[in-house]
C-alpha cells in the first residue's frame, strides 16, 4: 500500500509540473509574438516619419552639439567622439552648423577621422596635439589655387604717410609715432569697408617700410624683400628672448622655393654673432635668413615683435602666402602641407588657432592680469573701452563664431586686401592699447565682419600643436635648475691601491703589521670620544 501510494503521488506531481510548464511556454510565446508585432509597427511608423522629415535628426544634432554646449565642450566632444565631419567643419567660424565644403572625390583626406584619444594620465595632463590629415608636399602644392581668394568689397588698399605725425589729446588716444597716432575718427573710418581705402598701418614716416621709418632694414636686404615669392615663413626674436629653432621635416622642394626669414634687433644680432651656428657672410642660421632691424620704435621687445607679425604684408609687398611662427615654436611640418590643410582645403584667406582653454575676451584679460603679462591698469582701461563700444562676454548667441580668443603664435594667411586691412587695424589696436594681441583680435575681426561677409578659419589648438613644437623661452631655459641626482644612487667602491703606492705618505705592502687592526679600532673610539665631548 505504501508503494502504490508513492507511485500515485509521483504521477500526480509530474502531471502538475507538465501542465504548469506548458502554460508558461504558451504565455511566453504570446508575449514574444506581441513584442514582435509592436516592433514591426514601431519601425514602420518611424521610417514613415523620417521619410517625410529627413532633417529631423540633423536639426536635433545641431541643437545638441551646436547650441547647448560651450565652444570648448563642442571642440572636445568633436575630438573625443571621433567625429570625422568635425575635422572639416570646426576649422571655420561658419562651418559649425552648416555642412563643410565638399572636397574633391579623389581627395585622400575625404575619409579621415580622429583615432580614439589616448587614456588620460599624470605624465601629460596639459594640452596635446591631435592628428591632422596632410597631403604630401607635392600633392599640397598641386592644390594651390590658380586664382587669389576674392577680397569682399575692398579691392584697393593704400597706407597713410606723414613725416611729422602729431599726438592728439583725446579719450582713448594712445599709439606711437611709428603708428602715426591715428585719431578715434581715423579708427572708425578704418572699419568702414569700401572698395578703395587708405588707413594707418605703421611705417608712417619715410619713403617705404624699412627705410627711415623706424624698424629700419639694410638696403641690400630690402631689395631682396621686394622680390616676388609665392610663400614665405617668418619669425622674430627681440631682446635675446628666444633661441632659434631649426625647422624639421621640410621637403627639398620647400627648401628650394620657400625662404625662411628671422627678424632680430641689434641686441639679439650681437648675441648671435658669438654663436657657432651663425655665419656672417650668409647671415644665416640653418634655414633662417637673419634680418636685422635697426632703430626699433618701442622699448618693449614683445611690442617690437608685433611689427613683422602683423605687418608682414608691408615688409614683403610681393608675397602671396605667409606663415608666421613665433620664435618659441619649432616648425615640424612642411609649409605647403600647412597651407593646403588650413587655407586651400577650407577655402579661407586667413587661419589662426583658437586658444586651447579660453574663448572669452574678459576671461582672457583676467588671466593676463593674474599672470602679470601686462600692467593691470592698462588691461582694465582697454577692456572698459571695448565694453563702451559694445563688446560683450562670449555666449552661444555669437554662433557661428566659436571663439573670441586666438592662440596667436601662428598666423597663416593669403596677402589680399581684406586680410591686409584686418592685420592693419589689429596692429593699430595693439599700438593704441596693450601689446596683448589676444585682447584686440575679436574687436578687429567683428568690426570688419559687420560690414562684409568674411570669416577667419579658427581651427583647433590641438591641430596647431601638430605642426609646431613648443619650446621654452630663453630666460626660462637659463633659469632652469639641473635635475637632482637620486639620493638612492649607490656609489661604486674605490678600487684597491696597487702594492707599493703610498697613502698619506706610507707605503702599501699588502701585509698587515702586528697590532695594526687594534690601532685602527682604538683611533675610531678616540675620535668618537672627542665628538661626544
Amino acid at each position: 500500500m505504501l508503494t502504490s501510494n508513492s507511485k500515485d503521488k509521483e504521477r500526480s506531481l509530474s502531471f502538475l509540473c507538465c501542465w504548469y510548464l506548458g502554460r508558461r511556454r504558451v504565455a511566453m510565446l504570446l508575449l514574444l509574438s506581441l513584442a514582435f508585432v509592436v516592433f514591426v509597427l514601431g519601425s514602420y511608423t518611424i521610417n514613415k516619419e523620417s521619410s517625410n522629415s529627413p532633417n529631423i535628426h540633423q536639426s536635433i544634432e545641431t541643437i545638441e552639439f551646436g547650441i547647448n554646449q560651450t565652444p570648448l565642450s563642442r571642440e572636445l566632444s568633436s575630438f573625443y567622439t571621433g567625429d570625422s565631419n568635425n575635422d572639416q567643419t570646426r576649422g571655420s567660424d561658419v562651418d559649425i552648423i552648416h555642412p563643410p565644403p565638399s572636397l574633391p572625390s579623389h581627395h585622400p583626406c575625404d575619409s579621415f577621422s580622429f583615432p580614439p584619444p589616448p587614456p588620460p594620465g599624470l605624465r601629460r595632463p596639459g594640452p596635446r596635439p591631435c592628428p591632422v590629415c596632410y597631403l604630401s608636399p607635392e600633392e599640397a602644392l598641386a592644390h594651390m589655387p590658380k586664382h587669389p581668394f576674392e577680397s569682399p568689397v575692398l579691392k584697393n588698399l593704400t597706407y597713410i604717410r606723414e613725416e611729422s605725425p602729431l599726438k592728439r589729446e583725446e579719450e582713448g588716444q594712445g599709439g606711437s609715432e611709428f603708428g602715426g597716432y591715428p585719431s578715434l575718427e581715423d579708427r572708425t573710418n578704418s572699419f568702414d569697408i569700401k572698395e578703395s581705402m587708405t588707413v594707418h598701418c605703421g611705417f608712417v614716416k619715410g619713403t617705404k617700410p624699412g627705410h627711415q621709418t623706424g624698424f629700419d632694414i639694410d638696403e641690400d636686404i630690402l631689395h631682396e624683400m621686394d622680390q616676388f615669392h609665392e610663400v614665405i615663413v617668418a619669425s622674430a626674436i627681440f631682446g635675446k628672448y628666444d633661441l632659434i629653432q631649426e625647422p624639421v621635416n621640410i621637403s627639398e622642394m620647400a627648401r628650394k622655393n620657400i625662404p625662411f626669414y628671422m627678424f632680430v634687433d641689434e641686441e639679439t644680432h650681437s648675441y648671435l654673432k658669438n654663436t657657432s651656428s651663425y655665419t656672417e657672410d650668409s647671415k644665416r642660421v640653418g634655414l633662417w635668413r637673419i634680418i636685422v632691424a635697426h632703430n626699433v620704435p618701442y622699448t618693449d621687445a614683445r611690442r617690437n615683435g608685433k611689427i613683422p607679425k602683423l605687418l608682414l604684408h608691408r615688409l614683403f609687398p610681393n608675397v602671396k602666402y605667409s606663415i608666421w611662427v613665433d620664435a618659441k615654436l619649432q616648425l615640424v611640418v612642411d609649409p605647403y602641407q600647412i597651407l593646403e590643410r588650413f587655407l586651400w582645403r577650407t577655402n579661407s584667406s586667413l587661419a589662426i588657432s583658437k586658444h586651447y582653454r579660453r574663448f572669452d575676451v574678459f576671461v582672457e584679460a583676467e588671466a593676463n592680469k593674474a599672470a602679470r603679462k601686462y600692467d593691470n591698469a592698462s588691461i582694465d582701461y582697454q577692456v572698459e573701452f571695448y565694453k563702451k563700444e559694445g563688446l560683450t562676454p562670449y555666449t552661444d548667441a555669437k554662433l557661428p563664431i566659436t571663439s573670441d580668443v586666438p592662440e596667436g603664435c601662428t598666423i597663416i594667411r593669403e596677402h589680399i586686401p581684406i586680410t591686409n586691412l584686418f592685420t592693419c587695424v589689429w596692429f593699430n589696436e595693439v599700438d593704441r592699447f596693450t601689446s596683448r594681441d589676444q585682447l584686440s583680435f575679436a574687436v578687429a575681426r567683428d568690426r570688419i565682419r559687420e560690414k562684409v561677409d568674411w570669416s577667419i578659419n579658427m581651427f583647433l589648438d590641438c591641430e596647431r600643436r601638430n605642426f609646431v613644437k613648443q619650446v621654452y623661452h630663453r630666460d626660462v631655459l637659463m633659469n632652469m635648475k639641473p635635475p637632482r641626482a637620486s639620493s638612492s644612487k649607490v656609489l661604486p667602491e674605490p678600487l684597491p691601491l696597487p702594492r707599493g703606492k703610498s697613502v698619506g705618505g706610507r707605503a702599501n705592502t699588502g701585509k698587515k703589521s702586528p697590532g695594526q687592526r687594534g690601532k685602527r679600532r682604538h683611533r675610531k673610539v678616540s675620535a668618537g670620544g672627542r665628538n661626544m665631548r
Side-chain angles (χ1 to χ4, degrees), residues 71-72 75-76 78-79 90-91 114 126-132 134 328-329 342 352-358 402-403 405-410 438 457-470:
L72 182 61
E75 197 168 289
L76 294 177
S78 64
F79 171 48
R90 64 173 168 269
F114 281 123
R128 290 174 287 173
C130 54
V132 176
Y134 299 109
K328 65 181 179 181
L329 305 176
F342 297 103
I352 191 171
S353 66
K354 311 170 190 177
H355 195 279
Y356 70 95
R357 179 180 297 168
R358 296 182 287 274
T402 57
S403 177
V405 181
E407 186 61 65
C409 51
T410 59
Q438 296 97 329
N457 177 5
M458 295 192 72
F459 53 91
L460 290 175
D461 183 66
C462 68
E463 293 176 305
R464 175 191 65 83
R465 293 173 185 270
N466 182 282
F467 65 84
V468 288
K469 179 181 177 182
Q470 188 157 337

Side-chain angles (χ1 to χ4, degrees), residues 189-220:
N189 292 336
S190 66
F191 295 117
D192 186 15
I193 313 300
K194 301 176 182 177
E195 184 175 352
S196 297
M197 297 179 64
T198 301
V199 298
H200 286 82
C201 196
F203 303 103
V204 169
K205 300 172 64 176
T207 56
K208 60 181 295 187
H211 181 70
Q212 298 179 353
T213 57
F215 205 86
D216 298 328
I217 296 168
D218 297 333
E219 288 294 332
D220 57 335

Side-chain angles (χ1 to χ4, degrees), residues 285-388:
V285 175
L287 280 177
W288 294 105
R289 176 75 157 94
I290 304 301
I291 300 178
V292 183
H294 309 281
N295 190 27
V296 290
Y298 304 109
T299 56
D300 181 7
R302 287 187 176 91
R303 194 183 288 272
N304 285 319
K306 307 302 179 185
I307 296 173
K309 177 178 180 177
L310 300 179
L311 306 183
L312 207 57
H313 62 284
R314 299 222 60 194
L315 292 164
F316 296 92
N318 298 309
V319 163
K320 290 180 64 176
Y321 299 97
S322 68
I323 299 175
W324 172 266
V325 181
D326 276 5
K328 65 181 179 181
L329 305 176
Q330 180 187 29
L331 194 67
V332 296
V333 172
D334 190 85
Y336 288 123
Q337 295 176 296
I338 297 171
L339 286 165
E340 190 281 329
R341 171 60 186 88
F342 297 103
L343 280 193
W344 304 336
R345 194 186 304 179
T346 58
N347 194 28
S348 304
S349 58
L350 193 146
I352 191 171
S353 66
K354 311 170 190 177
H355 195 279
Y356 70 95
R357 179 180 297 168
R358 296 182 287 274
F359 47 86
D360 183 274
V361 174
F362 297 91
V363 177
E364 176 67 18
E366 293 302 317
N368 275 259
K369 289 163 59 178
R372 298 182 180 179
K373 297 291 184 68
Y374 213 85
D375 70 275
N376 292 0
S378 298
I379 293 176
D380 289 337
Y381 178 80
Q382 182 177 4
V383 172
E384 287 299 320
F385 186 90
Y386 289 159
K387 283 175 66 176
K388 292 178 182 178

Side-chain angles (χ1 to χ4, degrees), residues 92-380:
S92 173
D93 283 345
V94 297
D95 289 341
I96 294 299
I97 294 179
H98 302 292
S102 58
L103 297 176
S105 57
H106 61 277
H107 200 286
C109 294
D110 255 339
S111 58
F112 173 75
S113 60
F114 281 123
L122 297 178
R123 295 185 64 183
R124 296 193 66 184
R128 290 174 287 173
C130 54
V132 176
C133 182
Y134 299 109
L135 300 185
S136 68
E138 294 76 15
E139 291 176 313
L141 180 59
H143 282 74
M144 179 186 289
K146 294 180 174 58
H147 304 286
F149 187 93
E150 184 177 358
S151 179
V153 181
L154 178 62
K155 307 302 178 186
N156 302 301
L157 183 64
T158 54
Y159 310 104
I160 292 174
R161 288 182 54 246
E162 288 183 74
E163 286 301 323
S164 301
L166 298 176
K167 185 174 182 179
R168 304 164 182 84
E169 296 297 332
E170 59 182 359
E171 183 184 0
Q173 178 62 56
S176 64
E177 187 177 38
F178 174 80
Y181 300 116
S183 66
L184 291 180
E185 182 181 0
D186 294 331
R187 180 176 179 270
T188 300
N189 292 336
S190 66
F191 295 117
D192 186 15
I193 313 300
K194 301 176 182 177
E195 184 175 352
S196 297
M197 297 179 64
T198 301
V199 298
H200 286 82
C201 196
F203 303 103
V204 169
K205 300 172 64 176
T207 56
K208 60 181 295 187
H211 181 70
Q212 298 179 353
T213 57
F215 205 86
D216 298 328
I217 296 168
D218 297 333
E219 288 294 332
D220 57 335
I221 307 295
L222 276 178
H223 177 72
E224 180 181 336
M225 293 165 63
D226 283 338
Q227 297 176 5
F228 172 79
H229 294 289
E230 284 191 327
V231 181
I232 66 169
V233 178
S235 186
I237 299 176
F238 292 95
K240 300 189 301 182
Y241 199 63
D242 291 291
L243 300 175
I244 293 181
Q245 306 297 322
E246 180 67 9
V248 296
N249 304 322
I250 308 300
S251 66
E252 288 300 321
M253 180 176 57
R255 289 173 180 267
K256 182 180 178 181
N257 298 320
I258 299 178
F260 290 69
Y261 292 107
M262 175 69 70
F263 290 89
V264 299
D265 57 3
E266 293 177 346
E267 181 184 7
T268 306
H269 184 232
S270 298
Y271 170 77
L272 283 177
K273 288 192 293 186
N274 295 325
T275 62
S276 59
S277 58
Y278 178 74
T279 56
E280 184 64 34
D281 294 338
S282 63
K283 293 183 172 58
R284 287 187 174 276
V285 175
L287 280 177
W288 294 105
R289 176 75 157 94
I290 304 301
I291 300 178
V292 183
H294 309 281
N295 190 27
V296 290
Y298 304 109
T299 56
D300 181 7
R302 287 187 176 91
R303 194 183 288 272
N304 285 319
K306 307 302 179 185
I307 296 173
K309 177 178 180 177
L310 300 179
L311 306 183
L312 207 57
H313 62 284
R314 299 222 60 194
L315 292 164
F316 296 92
N318 298 309
V319 163
K320 290 180 64 176
Y321 299 97
S322 68
I323 299 175
W324 172 266
V325 181
D326 276 5
K328 65 181 179 181
L329 305 176
Q330 180 187 29
L331 194 67
V332 296
V333 172
D334 190 85
Y336 288 123
Q337 295 176 296
I338 297 171
L339 286 165
E340 190 281 329
R341 171 60 186 88
F342 297 103
L343 280 193
W344 304 336
R345 194 186 304 179
T346 58
N347 194 28
S348 304
S349 58
L350 193 146
I352 191 171
S353 66
K354 311 170 190 177
H355 195 279
Y356 70 95
R357 179 180 297 168
R358 296 182 287 274
F359 47 86
D360 183 274
V361 174
F362 297 91
V363 177
E364 176 67 18
E366 293 302 317
N368 275 259
K369 289 163 59 178
R372 298 182 180 179
K373 297 291 184 68
Y374 213 85
D375 70 275
N376 292 0
S378 298
I379 293 176
D380 289 337

Side-chain angles (χ1 to χ4, degrees), residues 20-38:
Y20 180 72
L21 291 174
R23 290 189 63 182
R24 289 195 65 182
R25 287 176 181 173
V26 171
M28 289 296 293
L29 288 173
L30 289 175
L31 287 174
L32 289 173
S33 301
L34 181 61
F36 179 74
V37 171
V38 171

